[in-house]
Amino acid sequence: MSEIHRTFETSEPVLVAATRDRVVSLYREGHHVYQSASIGPSARLFGQARELAESIDDRAMAMCARFWEGAALHGIGRLHQALATFAQAAASGERQQGDQWPYMALTRYVLIAVELPVSLEVIERALGEAWQRYAENGSGNRRSRLLLVRARLAMARGRHREALADAQEGLERRRREPLGFSFSTHVRTLVDICLRLGDLELARRYIEEWESLDTGYPGTKRICLAAARSMILRRERRIDEALDWARRAEHEGRITDDLPSRFWVLKALIRALLCTDDPRLARGPLLDLLRLRNSAVGDIRYETRLLLADYHLANARRLAGLPPVDLELVGEVERPGSRASNETVLQQLHCARRLYGLALRTGRAIDRLLTCEVRTREVEQRLRLAGVIASATVSGEGAV
């Protein structure tokens, strides 16, 4: 027996060292894959690294791997699994390497709460506790992530001026703070806010800065930059150029399984195609988008339904003799011409109204949680537009 015990005592340090080497190898491989925009495989690699680190009680390495496992799960849209992963990391009292991992995990946790979303009361309480813990009572270098999350919450509630101020301060602090979200995450948020505000000049300035920054994740950056350019060009009614950039983004975007990037790219392409003379061309990308209709991200569920409805409304407009418009911008209500039969136009309008009903149900549920009416008003405006076209089609009125 004594010889057996001596054998284990001798071999244990060797096994621990070998396991630690394997942890480091898996962690590095996970980062290499994550950088290449293959988020799903990186989640598995980080998870394996975490489990092995836990098996040898390497708490610092386990915490690090746990954060990146959660980040990868978040990226591919498995939000509830990511929440569970981040909750354990955020609640940890581990102080090895400082408290950077709990801080980074907690800010991701609150961001996911915004994306689901959960109720505004829960989000604001969690964000307030994080702000007090890290921005007021902690290190002075702990605000950029919190500001970005606060900006995303304001965006989700339609408070875009508030969102812009927080996002701008968040980016400025990110230049000085070592623990922020990626620069691409900050700048993409700012571009999105500027587009919602209609400030295309400011959006272009941020895109130019985005191009010049060493942001990491070059594949994702290239894809999202192309989509952002398409969105700006579409707002400027340069539809052919917008379509070229959107197609480039969609082609290159096939390499990634990062959910926000994939959705952004498909949305840019579909919106550009709906502004052409033949919106039926959007059918292919819409079929791809349908795979995301049950996403855990509330606004992806909502916008998928809205885009499907907009597709049918755009086709109804085409059949009714109306010119293509950007339905995100249209404000005036136009009456149809007389190019198509009433039945054909009404069939498309029926499909549009049914899908707007689904979008309205999803949007209202999100609005109630966030105590706003952003999505409800957006769908109701589309329904009014569809109603005017339907009334004019039934009565046989021509274009005005």
Side-chain angles (χ1 to χ4, degrees):
M1 288 294 292
S2 60
E3 289 181 6
I4 294 174
H5 280 300
R6 279 196 297 273
T7 300
F8 274 107
E9 288 171 1
T10 303
S11 62
E12 186 176 9
V14 175
L15 288 171
V16 169
T19 302
R20 186 169 286 112
D21 287 345
R22 179 60 177 155
V23 170
V24 171
S25 175
L26 285 166
Y27 182 78
R28 287 176 176 167
E29 187 181 355
H31 268 293
H32 175 74
V33 173
Y34 193 93
Q35 285 273 352
S36 71
S38 296
I39 312 298
S42 73
R44 292 190 293 273
L45 291 164
F46 289 128
Q48 291 168 13
R50 172 186 53 77
E51 290 173 357
L52 282 175
E54 289 171 345
S55 75
I56 57 173
D57 202 28
D58 187 335
R59 297 182 183 180
M61 197 65 204
M63 175 72 77
C64 182
R66 180 180 293 280
F67 171 80
W68 286 107
E69 180 186 9
L73 289 168
H74 184 188
I76 59 175
R78 290 159 63 178
L79 300 195
H80 293 286
Q81 287 177 265
L83 274 178
T85 303
F86 287 131
Q88 193 166 342
S92 173
E94 179 61 58
R95 294 299 179 187
Q96 293 187 25
Q97 301 182 32
D99 62 352
Q100 69 179 65
W101 299 115
Y103 163 67
M104 293 172 72
L106 181 58
T107 45
R108 279 268 193 169
Y109 185 92
V110 183
L111 180 58
I112 292 172
V114 173
E115 291 176 355
L116 283 167
V118 299
S119 73
L120 180 64
E121 180 183 2
V122 171
I123 295 169
E124 288 185 332
R125 183 167 62 246
L127 187 53
E129 289 172 0
W131 189 270
Q132 184 177 26
R133 179 175 173 183
Y134 291 109
E136 294 177 357
N137 299 330
S139 164
N141 291 331
R142 300 292 172 88
R143 290 199 177 189
S144 70
R145 296 175 71 90
L146 293 165
L147 285 161
L148 180 76
V149 174
R150 203 162 73 178
R152 291 280 190 88
L153 176 59
M155 278 178 64
R157 302 185 69 211
R159 301 184 174 193
H160 299 130
R161 288 292 172 191
E162 280 181 41
L164 181 62
D166 280 336
Q168 286 176 324
E169 185 183 352
L171 176 61
E172 185 55 37
R173 285 186 170 274
R174 176 62 181 88
R175 301 181 207 282
R176 310 191 300 270
E177 295 180 17
L179 302 178
F181 287 99
S182 73
F183 275 112
S184 282
T185 302
H186 281 273
V187 181
R188 185 165 68 177
T189 298
L190 277 161
V191 170
D192 198 0
I193 295 168
C194 291
L195 287 171
R196 293 173 192 234
L197 288 170
D199 193 337
L200 302 186
E201 182 180 351
L202 185 57
R204 281 193 177 281
R205 291 210 298 268
Y206 280 122
I207 281 182
E208 289 171 7
E209 181 176 8
W210 195 357
E211 276 192 313
S212 67
L213 287 170
D214 181 13
T215 63
Y217 316 110
T220 302
K221 172 185 171 179
R222 186 173 62 252
I223 295 161
C224 292
L225 263 171
R229 288 189 181 283
S230 173
M231 292 174 185
I232 290 176
L233 288 163
R234 174 170 54 84
R235 293 296 181 93
E236 294 175 337
R237 306 186 190 280
R238 295 159 64 182
I239 304 303
D240 288 343
E241 294 170 79
L243 196 51
D244 286 343
W245 279 103
R247 283 177 168 149
R248 185 182 309 182
E250 195 278 333
H251 178 74
E252 295 190 1
R254 294 171 190 170
I255 69 169
T256 186
D257 55 358
D258 178 65
L259 178 64
S261 301
R262 187 65 187 151
F263 177 73
W264 227 46
V265 163
L266 283 171
K267 180 180 175 181
L269 179 57
I270 292 165
R271 286 280 172 218
L273 287 166
L274 293 184
C275 291
T276 66
D277 290 331
D278 190 357
R280 291 172 297 180
L281 296 171
R283 183 176 175 81
L286 277 166
L287 290 174
D288 287 340
L289 187 70
L290 272 173
R291 298 172 187 155
L292 307 181
R293 66 186 181 277
N294 295 320
S295 169
V297 179
D299 270 330
I300 291 182
R301 293 196 306 275
Y302 163 69
E303 289 199 59
T304 296
R305 288 157 176 77
L306 185 69
L307 281 161
L308 287 166
D310 282 352
Y311 168 76
H312 287 286
L313 183 57
N315 275 305
R317 288 177 58 85
R318 177 184 66 85
L319 292 166
L322 290 168
V325 295
D326 189 336
L327 287 169
E328 286 192 318
L329 302 178
V330 65
E332 297 179 3
V333 175
E334 302 159 284
R335 295 185 183 276
S338 55
R339 189 167 61 189
S341 69
N342 290 352
E343 182 181 354
T344 308
V345 175
L346 291 173
Q347 283 175 349
Q348 290 294 322
L349 288 172
H350 174 74
C351 290
R353 284 166 145 174
R354 180 176 59 82
L355 288 162
Y356 282 134
L358 295 175
L360 186 59
R361 187 187 311 165
T362 303
R364 274 181 175 158
I366 296 171
D367 284 350
R368 280 196 297 269
L369 286 165
L370 298 177
T371 64
C372 65
E373 296 182 345
V374 179
R375 296 154 195 82
T376 302
R377 288 197 301 265
E378 185 174 40
V379 180
E380 287 176 346
Q381 191 273 342
R382 299 286 216 287
L383 284 168
R384 284 193 296 272
L385 179 60
V388 169
I389 297 173
S391 297
T393 301
V394 169
S395 67
E397 294 179 18
V400 293

Coordinates of all heavy atoms in Angstrom, one line a residue, residues 148-176:
L148 N -22.2 51.8 -21.8 CA -22.7 51.1 -23.0 C -24.0 50.4 -22.7 O -25.0 50.5 -23.5 CB -21.7 50.1 -23.6 CG -22.2 49.4 -24.8 CD1 -22.0 50.4 -26.0 CD2 -21.4 48.1 -25.1
V149 N -24.1 49.7 -21.6 CA -25.3 49.0 -21.2 C -26.4 50.0 -21.0 O -27.6 49.8 -21.5 CB -25.1 48.1 -20.0 CG1 -26.4 47.5 -19.5 CG2 -24.1 47.0 -20.2
R150 N -26.1 51.1 -20.4 CA -27.1 52.1 -20.1 C -27.6 52.7 -21.5 O -28.8 53.0 -21.6 CB -26.6 53.2 -19.2 CG -27.6 54.0 -18.5 CD -27.1 54.7 -17.3 NE -26.3 55.9 -17.7 CZ -25.7 56.7 -16.9 NH1 -25.8 56.5 -15.6 NH2 -25.0 57.8 -17.3
A151 N -26.7 52.9 -22.4 CA -27.1 53.4 -23.7 C -28.0 52.4 -24.5 O -29.0 52.8 -25.1 CB -25.8 53.7 -24.6
R152 N -27.7 51.1 -24.3 CA -28.5 50.1 -25.0 C -29.9 50.1 -24.4 O -30.9 49.9 -25.1 CB -27.9 48.7 -24.8 CG -26.6 48.5 -25.6 CD -26.9 48.2 -27.1 NE -25.7 47.8 -27.8 CZ -25.2 46.6 -27.9 NH1 -25.9 45.6 -27.3 NH2 -24.1 46.3 -28.5
L153 N -30.0 50.3 -23.1 CA -31.3 50.3 -22.5 C -32.1 51.5 -22.9 O -33.3 51.4 -23.3 CB -31.2 50.4 -20.9 CG -32.5 50.5 -20.1 CD1 -33.4 49.4 -20.4 CD2 -32.2 50.6 -18.6
A154 N -31.5 52.7 -23.0 CA -32.2 53.9 -23.5 C -32.6 53.7 -25.0 O -33.7 54.1 -25.4 CB -31.2 55.1 -23.4
M155 N -31.8 53.1 -25.8 CA -32.2 52.8 -27.2 C -33.4 51.9 -27.2 O -34.3 52.1 -28.0 CB -31.0 52.0 -27.9 CG -29.9 52.9 -28.5 SD -28.6 51.8 -29.2 CE -29.6 51.1 -30.5
A156 N -33.4 50.8 -26.4 CA -34.5 49.9 -26.4 C -35.8 50.6 -26.0 O -36.9 50.1 -26.4 CB -34.2 48.8 -25.5
R157 N -35.7 51.7 -25.3 CA -36.9 52.4 -24.9 C -37.2 53.6 -25.8 O -38.1 54.4 -25.5 CB -36.7 52.9 -23.4 CG -36.5 51.8 -22.4 CD -36.4 52.2 -21.0 NE -37.7 52.7 -20.6 CZ -38.0 53.6 -19.7 NH1 -36.9 54.3 -19.2 NH2 -39.2 53.9 -19.3
G158 N -36.5 53.8 -26.9 CA -36.7 54.9 -27.8 C -36.1 56.2 -27.3 O -36.5 57.2 -27.9
R159 N -35.3 56.2 -26.3 CA -34.7 57.5 -25.8 C -33.3 57.7 -26.4 O -32.3 57.5 -25.8 CB -34.6 57.4 -24.3 CG -36.0 57.2 -23.6 CD -35.9 57.3 -22.1 NE -37.2 57.2 -21.5 CZ -37.5 57.5 -20.3 NH1 -36.5 57.8 -19.4 NH2 -38.7 57.4 -19.8
H160 N -33.3 58.0 -27.7 CA -32.1 58.0 -28.5 C -31.1 59.1 -28.1 O -29.9 58.9 -28.2 CB -32.5 58.0 -30.0 CG -33.3 56.8 -30.4 ND1 -34.4 56.9 -31.1 CD2 -33.1 55.5 -30.1 CE1 -35.0 55.7 -31.3 NE2 -34.2 54.8 -30.7
R161 N -31.6 60.3 -27.7 CA -30.7 61.3 -27.3 C -29.9 60.9 -26.0 O -28.7 61.1 -25.9 CB -31.5 62.6 -27.0 CG -31.9 63.3 -28.3 CD -30.8 63.8 -29.1 NE -31.2 64.3 -30.4 CZ -30.4 64.6 -31.4 NH1 -29.1 64.5 -31.2 NH2 -30.9 65.0 -32.6
E162 N -30.7 60.3 -25.1 CA -30.0 59.8 -23.9 C -29.0 58.7 -24.2 O -27.9 58.7 -23.7 CB -31.1 59.1 -22.9 CG -31.9 60.1 -22.1 CD -32.8 59.3 -21.2 OE1 -32.4 58.2 -20.7 OE2 -34.0 59.7 -21.1
A163 N -29.4 57.9 -25.1 CA -28.5 56.8 -25.6 C -27.3 57.3 -26.2 O -26.2 56.8 -25.9 CB -29.3 55.9 -26.6
L164 N -27.4 58.4 -27.0 CA -26.2 58.9 -27.7 C -25.2 59.5 -26.7 O -24.0 59.3 -26.8 CB -26.7 60.1 -28.7 CG -25.6 60.7 -29.4 CD1 -24.9 59.7 -30.4 CD2 -26.1 61.9 -30.3
A165 N -25.7 60.2 -25.7 CA -24.8 60.8 -24.7 C -24.1 59.7 -23.9 O -22.8 59.8 -23.7 CB -25.6 61.7 -23.7
D166 N -24.8 58.7 -23.5 CA -24.1 57.6 -22.8 C -23.1 56.8 -23.6 O -22.0 56.5 -23.2 CB -25.2 56.6 -22.2 CG -25.8 57.2 -20.9 OD1 -25.2 58.0 -20.2 OD2 -26.9 56.7 -20.6
A167 N -23.5 56.6 -24.9 CA -22.7 55.8 -25.8 C -21.4 56.6 -26.1 O -20.3 56.0 -26.2 CB -23.4 55.4 -27.1
Q168 N -21.6 57.9 -26.3 CA -20.4 58.8 -26.6 C -19.4 58.8 -25.4 O -18.2 58.6 -25.6 CB -20.8 60.2 -27.0 CG -21.4 60.3 -28.4 CD -22.0 61.6 -28.7 OE1 -22.5 62.3 -27.8 NE2 -21.9 62.1 -29.9
E169 N -19.9 58.9 -24.2 CA -19.1 58.9 -23.1 C -18.5 57.5 -22.9 O -17.3 57.4 -22.5 CB -19.9 59.3 -21.8 CG -19.0 59.4 -20.6 CD -19.7 59.8 -19.3 OE1 -20.9 60.1 -19.4 OE2 -19.1 59.7 -18.2
G170 N -19.2 56.5 -23.2 CA -18.7 55.1 -23.0 C -17.6 54.9 -24.0 O -16.6 54.3 -23.6
L171 N -17.7 55.4 -25.2 CA -16.5 55.2 -26.2 C -15.3 56.0 -25.7 O -14.2 55.5 -25.8 CB -17.0 55.6 -27.6 CG -15.9 55.6 -28.6 CD1 -15.3 54.2 -28.8 CD2 -16.4 56.1 -30.0
E172 N -15.5 57.2 -25.2 CA -14.4 58.1 -24.8 C -13.7 57.4 -23.6 O -12.5 57.4 -23.6 CB -14.9 59.4 -24.4 CG -13.8 60.4 -24.0 CD -12.8 60.6 -25.1 OE1 -13.1 60.6 -26.3 OE2 -11.6 60.7 -24.7
R173 N -14.5 56.8 -22.7 CA -13.8 56.2 -21.5 C -13.2 54.9 -22.0 O -12.1 54.5 -21.4 CB -14.9 55.9 -20.5 CG -15.3 57.1 -19.7 CD -16.2 56.8 -18.5 NE -16.3 57.9 -17.6 CZ -15.5 58.2 -16.6 NH1 -14.5 57.5 -16.4 NH2 -15.8 59.3 -15.9
R174 N -13.7 54.2 -23.0 CA -13.1 53.0 -23.5 C -11.7 53.2 -24.0 O -10.8 52.3 -23.9 CB -14.0 52.4 -24.6 CG -13.4 51.1 -25.3 CD -13.3 50.0 -24.3 NE -12.7 48.8 -24.9 CZ -11.4 48.5 -25.0 NH1 -10.5 49.4 -24.6 NH2 -11.0 47.4 -25.6
R175 N -11.4 54.4 -24.5 CA -10.1 54.7 -25.0 C -9.0 54.6 -23.8 O -7.9 54.4 -24.1 CB -10.0 56.1 -25.6 CG -11.0 56.3 -26.8 CD -10.8 57.7 -27.3 NE -12.0 58.1 -28.0 CZ -12.4 57.8 -29.2 NH1 -11.7 57.0 -29.9 NH2 -13.6 58.3 -29.7
R176 N -9.5 54.9 -22.6 CA -8.6 54.9 -21.4 C -8.7 53.7 -20.5 O -7.8 53.4 -19.8 CB -8.9 56.1 -20.6 CG -8.9 57.4 -21.4 CD -9.0 58.6 -20.4 NE -10.1 58.7 -19.5 CZ -11.3 59.2 -19.8 NH1 -11.5 59.8 -21.0 NH2 -12.3 59.2 -18.9

